[in-house]
Amino acid sequence: MIRSAWLLSITLTLAGCDREPAKPQRSRPDWSGAEVEGVAPLMAPEQVEAALRAGGYAQVRCSSKEELLQNPLYKGERSSCYASVRRPFRIILQLLDLAEGRRLVEAYFFDKRVAFLSFEENLRNSKAFAEGLRKRFGSPADTFASASVTTYYWHRPGGDPQVRDKIRTEVSSVSGANVRMESRWAHDEPLSSGASTSPGNAASRSR
């Protein structure tokens, strides 16, 4: 009886070793309540446009420096840039065609006042903005610090457990208020059947 039980235990253990490990569950990330200037990843182009217009933003030509900030993953897709005379940010947006339609997948807000302020003022603005994110989203999931820059990351619920959707801000004397929001989940989502690989932007796709 003991020998039979032992053999059964070994057999079940070996059978379990042949099974593939369970794949992490992926789900659509939840970006609700995480908007900055009314904008967050996975919003439709018309939602993005409406939110930016309400904040006084207008589309502007991206500078050569802003074009360099474009994520190399988005081949064939140009970023869209926005600015407002009333708001401190320049905004770079990236949209992609997903199975559910065209969606915002990355938004980068950087402080246009940096060049006109002292290091001390920029650092103060940077710290204040990071503290505002901490109050909204809790303690950062990750923090990376060097001699001159501290970077904070917050994860969004859902998405890909191995590559999380993130909110990121840098605190430094040359950063000012800044935040980058990126849906990594969207990188692996299938394109819609009518997706175009030609350059596009939020304004042209939403009209």
Side-chain angles (χ1 to χ4, degrees):
M1 180 67 73
I2 295 176
R3 180 179 176 79
S4 298
W6 178 77
L7 288 173
L8 178 60
S9 176
I10 293 297
T11 301
L12 292 174
T13 300
L14 292 175
C17 292
D18 292 336
R19 296 175 184 168
E20 293 185 4
K23 294 182 179 179
Q25 293 296 313
R26 297 177 77 250
S27 61
R28 193 180 191 278
D30 181 7
W31 281 91
S32 59
E35 297 85 1
V36 175
E37 301 293 276
V39 170
L42 303 186
M43 290 176 65
E46 56 271 17
Q47 294 174 304
V48 174
E49 282 286 313
L52 293 178
R53 282 198 303 269
Y57 285 93
Q59 188 167 2
V60 296
R61 182 169 182 166
C62 294
S63 67
S64 56
K65 180 180 178 181
E66 289 167 338
E67 289 176 349
L68 290 174
L69 293 173
Q70 179 170 316
N71 194 319
L73 290 172
Y74 310 131
K75 295 178 181 178
E77 292 281 359
R78 288 179 182 164
S79 300
S80 301
C81 298
Y82 291 80
S84 169
V85 295
R86 306 198 308 260
R87 306 296 296 161
F89 292 113
R90 288 272 297 195
I91 305 174
I92 305 174
L93 302 180
Q94 184 66 59
L95 290 93
L96 290 180
D97 291 304
L98 306 182
E100 63 184 65
R102 193 159 179 83
R103 295 290 183 267
L104 176 65
V105 297
E106 188 168 347
Y108 182 26
F109 303 76
F110 65 96
D111 198 332
K112 65 185 181 183
R113 304 167 298 179
V114 165
F116 307 102
L117 300 178
S118 66
F119 290 146
E120 292 78 12
E121 289 172 312
N122 284 324
L123 181 59
R124 185 164 58 249
N125 290 339
S126 191
K127 287 181 175 179
F129 191 81
E131 181 60 26
L133 294 178
R134 186 190 299 271
K135 289 179 179 178
R136 290 182 64 185
F137 305 122
S139 298
D142 295 299
T143 301
F144 296 95
S146 67
S148 58
V149 181
T150 301
T151 306
Y152 299 105
Y153 294 87
W154 289 266
H155 296 159
R156 294 306 301 165
D160 187 335
Q162 296 180 323
V163 189
R164 305 291 298 276
D165 281 26
K166 293 181 178 180
I167 298 170
R168 182 184 77 185
T169 191
E170 294 181 352
V171 174
S172 78
S173 60
V174 295
S175 297
N178 70 95
V179 64
R180 192 164 196 155
M181 303 186 292
E182 182 181 8
S183 178
R184 299 299 300 275
W185 170 84
H187 296 175
D188 298 324
E189 282 300 286
L191 295 177
S192 62
S193 58
S196 169
T197 56
S198 61
N201 57 51
S204 63
R205 296 303 183 109
S206 63
R207 288 177 188 144

